[in-house]
Amino acid sequence: MGLVEKAADIAEHGTDGARTGAAPVAASRPPAGLGFLGRFRPGRGLVLAVPYFWLLFFFLVPFVIVLKIALSETTIAIPPYTPMFEWDPDTLQLSIDIKFGSFSYLFTDNLYILAYLNSLWIAFISTILCLLIGYPVAYAIAKAEPSWRAPLLMLVILPFWTSFLIRVYAWIGLLGNGGLVTETVNTVLMGLGLIAEPLQILYTPTAAYIGITYSYLPFMILPLYATLEKMDNTLLEAASDLGCPPWRAFLTITLPLSLPGILAGSLLVFIPATGEFVIPELLGGPDTLMIGKVLWAEFFNNRDWPVASAVAIALLLFLVVPIMLFQQVQGQQQGGGKG
Amino acid sequence: MALVQQQPQSRTQAQQKLEPWRDPKQKPYVRVDKVTKKFDDFVAVDDVSLSIYRGEFFSLLGGSGSGKTTLLRMLAGFETPTEGKIFIDGVDMSGVPPYRRPVNMMFQSYALFPHMTVEGNVAFGLKQDGLPKAEIADRVREMLDLVQLGQFSKRKPHQLSGGQRQRVALARALVKRPKLLLLDEPLGALDKKLREQTQFELVNIQEKVGITFVVVTHDQEEAMTMSSRIAVMNKGYIAQVGTPTEIYEYPNTRFVAEFIGSVNMFAGRVVESEPDHSLIRSEEAGCDLYVAHPGHLAPGSPCWVAVRPEKIVISKDPAADAVGRNQTQGTVREIAYLGDVSIYDVDLDSGKRVRVTAPNLTRRTEMPITWEDRVYLSWRPFAGSVLTE
């Protein structure tokens, strides 16, 4: 019994606190030199350098190359654009040639503006569809028995085991005339007397919506699940205890607290969906105007690399500006919350 | 230890007015009627019946797994009893969901809504009732003033200290003026110093608002300080219900005696059993034990006598009136000096170790008893309790 021993010790030595008081101070002082060693950590810098080099070589450098192409003019050569820097060995002069023609060209034709707006619209609608389908799915998985959650999540991720392209091709079969989905929808709607003629789904914008929603759904479900699964169940009990019926508790507690998941999932769907090329090309048909298809046409059909690069950079600006605004707002909220 | 001994007495004086459980004409406000709760095969609450009266500060005291929290959650409506019924103010609560019960709960984790301000948290319950905005604002302000958080109303929970969060949780649970307030380890997350302050604050608030409190706690000191009555729970059943004094001074089982405070337990055999006393022969104690309570055991039956450490007088001289009863001899082995009291561990000649606490009436340097001293231990006839199980 430590207490008794300590008390005995005090009793023997009286209430002389100075001696016992001084001992722990000396003991707690760290040995000299260790602190100096602790600061010198070369491994830390190396580890941190890896992501920076990765971003530098695989993001920044390619981006600068694309920007350089965008600031040139198309020409019949290999590669098919005018060089930006020209070194004249005779006069020993370096001439720099920057042209903004490909950017201004984007404004001369309505096609580009329309394609951008249409892409944003399609991405927006698809994000909403993903949210409407993904939220209940994520919620159901998060509320399932713990032993069921892993297999259910597995089912969400399972389609990734097949190539993205093959899955989109599969939808051609499903949505085409006589395809399983189209046939079922037509039979039901015509049976109900809602339509007289069978619907055409493949090669319409509807098919593009279906394809995009299907392909990007997991990117919505996973962050939503992560947020919902972390949520403290006692908050719902507290709401219920305070007189809040379950549906209202969902609206006032669960939904606001899952906003970070909703935002993360929406960005993960919206951003790639805006630049999507394969799905509108294979499923959407000629009526589905999206910027990804325009980019492809400029690059491969027109062999106009500068304009294709300008389209890509304009798309980046379209997406980066709202993301940065969003991050700033979020940062302010968090900063305000902490202060 | 000192707190445990002093508090029940100061509380009982105030309670002389309010002891409805002694009055057979009083109707219980909350009635738990033969309630059993099973989780699969595990019996969490085992055939519990309780009557709690209006305005009581009632504690459910027990270790982990004793079923106290499950019982509280059944009162709140988060768990449904497997068998039995719960009545609150005469109304059967079976099938009534938590959000329709006249009951509010303060959660152990506080469960404050992180996305709402202090004000928003406290107003939440009132908004559910669709009260007018002006009334909600008034009642929230009044409640925040009561818990002294008026100036923090615009803060979010994560900007508050643990003690402040605890008070927000209390305000949120009280603001609806429930018939019954349930508190799950209300002081569990606070540090010791704050806990002691808050104990008294909680009692004061309870007296001010006059709401019936049911508190779950594992801390016996907390329960003794705050409660009008305590139900000691063990393995899902109720071991004893009584005022803090009754539980401490008249435990009905070895479990209760050992759970509350510390106790010396002497094994023995009943020799005399009379309406005014029992006499127990105990080899372990090294003397006959005279207990001045009505004897309820037949002579010859085995039993234990429980004697609290502070009831035993330690002395180098024998007591004059001992005549071989309630007095034994031993050797001091350990002394713990705690300032106000000292704890002595004494080995009796039978080998039994006995704990004695004695107030330090004189300065420590004039130590009258020291290690390896031969001492006499004696106690008064009313000090012991005869227990069978």
Side-chain angles (χ1 to χ4, degrees):
Chain A
M1 185 170 174
L3 184 70
V4 170
E5 280 155 21
K6 196 182 168 199
D9 185 54
I10 293 173
E12 266 178 60
H13 296 92
T15 45
D16 178 20
R19 187 188 59 82
T20 43
V25 178
S28 68
R29 193 179 297 148
L34 256 182
F36 164 75
L37 272 176
R39 272 180 210 175
F40 182 65
R41 281 185 290 183
R44 192 162 169 235
L46 269 175
V47 169
L48 282 179
V50 172
Y52 282 115
F53 278 113
W54 182 274
L55 287 174
L56 179 71
F57 287 116
F58 296 105
F59 179 74
L60 198 62
V61 170
F63 179 76
V64 169
I65 294 172
V66 172
L67 185 68
K68 181 174 157 287
I69 297 172
L71 293 173
S72 63
E73 272 182 341
T74 180
T75 177
I76 298 171
I78 295 175
Y81 55 88
T82 55
M84 183 181 274
F85 304 103
E86 224 156 2
W87 173 251
D88 192 335
D90 298 333
T91 58
L92 296 174
Q93 269 184 338
L94 180 73
S95 58
I96 301 171
D97 190 18
I98 295 177
K99 299 239 165 54
F100 291 96
S102 44
F103 281 104
S104 56
Y105 180 72
L106 296 183
F107 295 97
T108 59
D109 195 335
N110 265 345
L111 172 80
Y112 299 104
I113 303 292
L114 276 177
Y116 277 123
L117 292 179
N118 215 33
S119 296
L120 292 176
W121 177 250
I122 289 176
F124 175 73
I125 296 292
S126 307
T127 308
I128 298 290
L129 288 173
C130 279
L131 190 59
L132 289 179
I133 301 167
Y135 202 104
V137 173
Y139 190 83
I141 299 175
K143 295 284 162 194
E145 291 282 314
S147 57
W148 273 92
R149 288 180 201 160
L152 286 171
L153 273 183
M154 197 65 213
L155 289 177
V156 172
I157 303 166
L158 200 64
F160 287 118
W161 290 11
T162 317
S163 155
F164 167 69
L165 212 54
I166 288 173
R167 282 181 285 137
V168 175
Y169 270 111
W171 277 103
I172 296 178
L174 290 168
L175 295 174
N177 291 332
L180 185 64
V181 172
T182 309
E183 200 71 345
T184 314
V185 168
N186 279 331
T187 314
V188 170
L189 290 183
M190 283 166 81
L192 290 170
L194 291 172
I195 50 167
E197 293 284 309
L199 284 177
Q200 164 80 26
I201 295 181
L202 191 62
Y203 307 130
T204 66
T206 312
Y209 286 128
I210 293 173
I212 293 176
T213 306
Y214 162 78
S215 302
Y216 289 104
L217 192 58
F219 297 105
M220 181 64 88
I221 292 175
L222 294 177
L224 274 176
Y225 167 79
T227 322
L228 289 169
E229 196 256 350
K230 268 189 303 188
M231 241 188 60
D232 185 359
N233 202 37
T234 55
L235 293 180
L236 292 179
E237 284 188 345
S240 179
D241 184 68
L242 292 164
C244 191
W247 61 270
R248 217 189 298 158
F250 175 80
L251 291 180
T252 51
I253 309 293
T254 311
L255 203 57
L257 286 177
S258 59
L259 264 183
I262 294 177
L263 282 175
S266 298
L267 282 178
L268 282 179
V269 174
F270 183 80
I271 291 170
T274 310
E276 183 56 55
F277 162 72
V278 172
I279 297 168
E281 176 69 19
L282 292 179
L283 301 178
D287 291 344
T288 312
L289 186 63
M290 282 190 82
I291 200 66
K293 283 170 71 179
V294 173
L295 202 155
W296 166 277
E298 291 298 347
F299 197 85
F300 290 98
N301 298 359
N302 297 350
R303 281 185 62 80
D304 193 339
W305 287 23
V307 168
S309 303
V311 167
I313 285 167
L315 177 62
L316 197 72
L317 291 179
F318 258 99
L319 294 175
V320 158
V321 171
I323 291 169
M324 280 169 64
L325 280 176
F326 161 73
Q327 276 187 334
Q328 202 178 356
V329 169
Q330 209 184 27
Q332 273 171 358
Q333 274 175 349
Q334 279 175 353
K338 271 172 194 155
Chain B
M1 277 314 296
L3 199 65
V4 171
Q5 290 159 40
Q6 286 157 17
Q7 291 322 313
Q9 284 164 9
S10 64
R11 280 288 287 178
T12 42
Q13 279 164 6
Q15 280 158 21
Q16 234 85 69
K17 290 166 267 170
L18 178 81
E19 292 202 333
W21 52 90
R22 304 220 189 282
D23 184 354
K25 276 176 279 174
Q26 285 279 345
K27 274 192 130 180
Y29 198 53
V30 177
R31 198 154 64 83
V32 177
D33 190 18
K34 293 181 182 148
V35 163
T36 296
K37 176 71 186 176
K38 288 180 191 161
F39 295 107
D40 297 324
D41 283 342
F42 175 70
V43 183
V45 172
D46 191 359
D47 194 27
V48 163
S49 292
L50 269 181
S51 293
I52 300 169
Y53 295 85
R54 189 191 286 261
E56 266 204 82
F57 198 121
F58 194 93
S59 291
L60 298 170
L61 176 63
S64 59
S66 62
K68 55 191 194 306
T69 300
T70 309
L71 185 57
L72 195 78
R73 288 174 61 81
M74 284 194 282
L75 285 169
F78 299 132
E79 309 284 355
T80 333
T82 316
E83 282 164 48
K85 283 184 174 174
I86 292 170
F87 299 87
I88 295 173
D89 200 10
V91 180
D92 184 359
M93 286 290 129
S94 343
V96 180
Y99 53 91
R100 294 227 181 84
R101 292 194 180 201
V103 166
N104 284 134
M105 179 151 162
M106 190 184 138
F107 290 80
Q108 184 175 10
S109 63
Y110 308 147
L112 299 178
F113 305 128
H115 58 302
M116 296 182 195
T117 59
V118 167
E119 212 171 39
N121 266 283
V122 178
F124 185 87
L126 297 174
K127 279 185 191 156
Q128 306 307 318
D129 294 348
L131 293 179
K133 273 203 172 134
E135 194 190 336
I136 292 180
D138 283 348
R139 278 173 70 173
V140 168
R141 203 173 321 115
E142 186 190 324
M143 195 46 72
L144 286 178
D145 287 343
L146 179 71
V147 297
Q148 295 158 23
L149 282 174
Q151 71 271 41
F152 297 103
S153 60
K154 300 291 179 206
R155 296 241 186 129
K156 293 268 182 78
H158 66 93
Q159 295 167 292
L160 300 175
S161 71
Q164 289 166 338
R165 260 179 256 170
Q166 189 257 2
R167 299 213 293 276
V168 176
L170 181 65
R172 188 180 69 175
L174 276 174
V175 76
K176 291 192 79 175
R177 297 172 191 155
K179 288 183 173 174
L180 182 63
L181 188 74
L182 309 171
L183 303 99
D184 189 1
E185 302 275 4
L187 311 177
L190 305 181
D191 59 62
K192 192 172 169 8
K193 194 106 188 170
L194 196 56
R195 205 158 59 212
E196 282 172 6
Q197 285 172 15
T198 316
Q199 284 174 3
F200 295 106
E201 220 174 279
L202 209 55
V203 172
N204 286 338
I205 287 174
Q206 195 257 347
E207 279 167 4
K208 229 178 261 178
V209 295
I211 290 171
T212 311
F213 276 30
V214 175
V215 180
V216 152
T217 179
H218 68 277
D219 184 331
Q220 46 123 339
E221 203 171 285
E222 198 175 294
M224 304 275 287
T225 312
M226 301 191 297
S227 318
S228 61
R229 282 192 303 155
I230 299 171
V232 182
M233 292 191 72
N234 181 31
K235 294 177 190 161
Y237 68 88
I238 291 188
Q240 189 173 3
V241 183
T243 64
T245 325
E246 285 167 351
I247 299 273
Y248 186 78
E249 303 290 354
Y250 305 100
N252 63 357
T253 53
R254 284 189 63 180
F255 172 79
V256 175
E258 281 167 351
F259 189 78
I260 311 278
S262 51
V263 73
N264 297 299
M265 207 65 80
F266 300 108
R269 199 167 283 277
V270 179
V271 183
E272 279 175 36
S273 188
E274 301 294 333
D276 66 332
H277 75 271
S278 305
L279 192 68
I280 286 97
R281 186 144 298 157
S282 167
E283 282 177 18
E284 213 173 47
C287 64
D288 283 355
L289 306 168
Y290 183 94
V291 180
H293 303 305
H296 58 282
L297 296 172
S301 44
C303 67
W304 282 276
V305 175
V307 185
R308 297 278 181 198
E310 76 279 2
K311 303 279 191 291
I312 301 178
V313 177
I314 183 166
S315 169
K316 280 182 170 170
D317 309 308
D321 54 351
V323 286
R325 292 166 173 180
N326 292 359
Q327 172 157 297
T328 183
Q329 268 192 296
T331 309
V332 176
R333 295 297 181 207
E334 308 258 28
I335 304 175
Y337 171 71
L338 304 183
D340 53 347
V341 293
S342 288
I343 300 174
Y344 301 87
D345 279 355
V346 178
D347 279 351
L348 301 186
D349 298 339
S350 66
K352 167 89 177 167
R353 179 159 283 204
V354 175
R355 176 160 289 192
V356 182
T357 53
N360 290 318
L361 300 174
T362 56
R363 283 268 178 108
R364 192 73 190 92
T365 42
E366 305 160 24
M367 221 166 34
I369 294 166
T370 184
W371 289 267
E372 308 304 328
D373 274 357
R374 286 291 286 174
V375 287
Y376 289 91
L377 304 179
S378 60
W379 55 93
R380 305 189 62 85
F382 287 100
S385 303
V386 182
L387 304 172
T388 48
E389 41 167 339

